[in-house]
Amino acid sequence: MTEGEKVNHGDRRSRRLAVVVAVQNVLVAACLVVTLYVYWTVQERVSSTQAAGGDIHIQVEAVPDITRNSTLQLAHIYSNFKMDLLDGRRIYTSCTGSYLLHLHTCYTSLKLGESRVAELQLQARKDEEPLSSFFLNTTHEVCRGLHRITYLRAKQNVSLHLFLSDGFKLKNMTVDLSFLQGGRCEP
């Protein structure tokens, strides 16, 4: 073997190695492009869902300091999507299905040490059975979260009714109603 043949053989190895490295770099670049494309596509879907409001829900605040039986007046909408507040008392639902009703409330007995009770009902109509009920009992100030799963129909109007004994005071309440199927709405 001559020295020229050795150099030629080494040049072929170098060229093969260069081709393998180039192909490997092209594959890595292709994987990076595909990964970035998938990431941006998912981000666009998340952004469009968030821009559209995301999951179907409403979060409102009830007017504070209630000491008599009444339909709760809902005052301030913090957030809503595909649900609305009508006349300050009724929540309009857009979709048929299961909803999570979550309340955070503070209430007290005006005669500390004496037990006072109240019932809070989610109703579609006054002459029908309540869709959900909560019983509140206290001898002192209490703040707590309450929740129930309830089934509502599309285009239904629901309201919260408070029935309380003498000396019971509802100090404040935040109401969350969330559709349990996320953003998928079937009328």
Side-chain angles (χ1 to χ4, degrees), residues 56-58 81-83 91-102 122 132 147-156 158 176-182 185-186:
I56 299 163
H57 73 283
I58 192 165
F81 177 62
K82 286 193 176 182
M83 295 177 76
I91 296 173
Y92 171 81
T93 59
S94 302
C95 308
T96 297
S98 298
Y99 287 79
L100 176 63
L101 173 63
H102 178 264
L122 180 68
S132 289
H147 67 278
R148 293 276 190 280
I149 294 177
T150 187
Y151 185 84
L152 303 175
R153 294 184 317 273
K155 300 178 182 163
Q156 189 170 31
V158 295
D176 294 308
L177 189 61
S178 300
F179 190 54
L180 290 178
Q181 295 179 10
C185 179
E186 296 175 13

Side-chain angles (χ1 to χ4, degrees), residues 69-72 74 83-93 99 101 103 118-135 148-153 155-164 173 175 177:
N69 293 348
S70 64
T71 300
L72 294 185
L74 303 172
M83 295 177 76
D84 210 353
L85 184 61
L86 307 173
D87 72 13
R89 295 185 187 273
R90 296 175 295 139
I91 296 173
Y92 171 81
T93 59
Y99 287 79
L101 173 63
L103 310 171
E119 182 180 6
L120 185 63
Q121 296 179 349
L122 180 68
Q123 295 181 347
R125 293 180 31 180
K126 285 186 179 183
D127 58 344
E128 293 179 355
E129 288 289 319
L131 301 168
S132 289
S133 292
F134 300 94
F135 290 95
R148 293 276 190 280
I149 294 177
T150 187
Y151 185 84
L152 303 175
R153 294 184 317 273
K155 300 178 182 163
Q156 189 170 31
N157 298 322
V158 295
S159 54
L160 288 164
H161 299 271
L162 184 64
F163 304 96
L164 37 93
M173 179 180 291
V175 179
L177 189 61

Side-chain angles (χ1 to χ4, degrees), residues 4-184:
E5 290 176 15
K6 288 182 182 178
V7 170
N8 194 9
H9 191 59
D11 284 341
R12 274 191 250 149
R13 284 185 186 165
S14 295
R15 277 183 267 163
R16 278 189 202 157
L17 184 59
V19 169
V20 168
V21 169
V23 169
Q24 182 181 15
N25 287 341
V26 168
L27 290 173
V28 167
C31 286
L32 181 61
V33 167
V34 168
T35 301
L36 290 174
Y37 172 77
V38 169
Y39 174 76
W40 282 325
T41 303
V42 168
Q43 286 301 104
E44 286 176 11
R45 286 183 190 162
V46 168
S47 296
S48 66
T49 301
Q50 288 173 344
D55 293 342
I56 299 163
H57 73 283
I58 192 165
Q59 182 182 27
V60 293
E61 181 179 14
V63 174
D65 291 337
I66 299 170
T67 57
R68 58 181 170 72
N69 293 348
S70 64
T71 300
L72 294 185
Q73 179 72 33
L74 303 172
H76 176 72
I77 296 178
Y78 292 109
S79 175
N80 68 318
F81 177 62
K82 286 193 176 182
M83 295 177 76
D84 210 353
L85 184 61
L86 307 173
D87 72 13
R89 295 185 187 273
R90 296 175 295 139
I91 296 173
Y92 171 81
T93 59
S94 302
C95 308
T96 297
S98 298
Y99 287 79
L100 176 63
L101 173 63
H102 178 264
L103 310 171
H104 184 270
T105 183
C106 293
Y107 51 92
T108 190
S109 170
L110 293 176
K111 297 178 182 179
L112 295 178
E114 292 184 28
S115 181
R116 297 295 178 231
V117 296
E119 182 180 6
L120 185 63
Q121 296 179 349
L122 180 68
Q123 295 181 347
R125 293 180 31 180
K126 285 186 179 183
D127 58 344
E128 293 179 355
E129 288 289 319
L131 301 168
S132 289
S133 292
F134 300 94
F135 290 95
L136 312 173
N137 186 359
T138 188
T139 57
H140 59 284
E141 184 170 331
V142 175
C143 292
R144 61 186 248 191
L146 307 164
H147 67 278
R148 293 276 190 280
I149 294 177
T150 187
Y151 185 84
L152 303 175
R153 294 184 317 273
K155 300 178 182 163
Q156 189 170 31
N157 298 322
V158 295
S159 54
L160 288 164
H161 299 271
L162 184 64
F163 304 96
L164 37 93
S165 66
D166 186 42
F168 184 99
K169 179 180 180 180
L170 180 69
K171 296 182 79 173
N172 59 51
M173 179 180 291
T174 303
V175 179
D176 294 308
L177 189 61
S178 300
F179 190 54
L180 290 178
Q181 295 179 10
R184 194 182 88 214

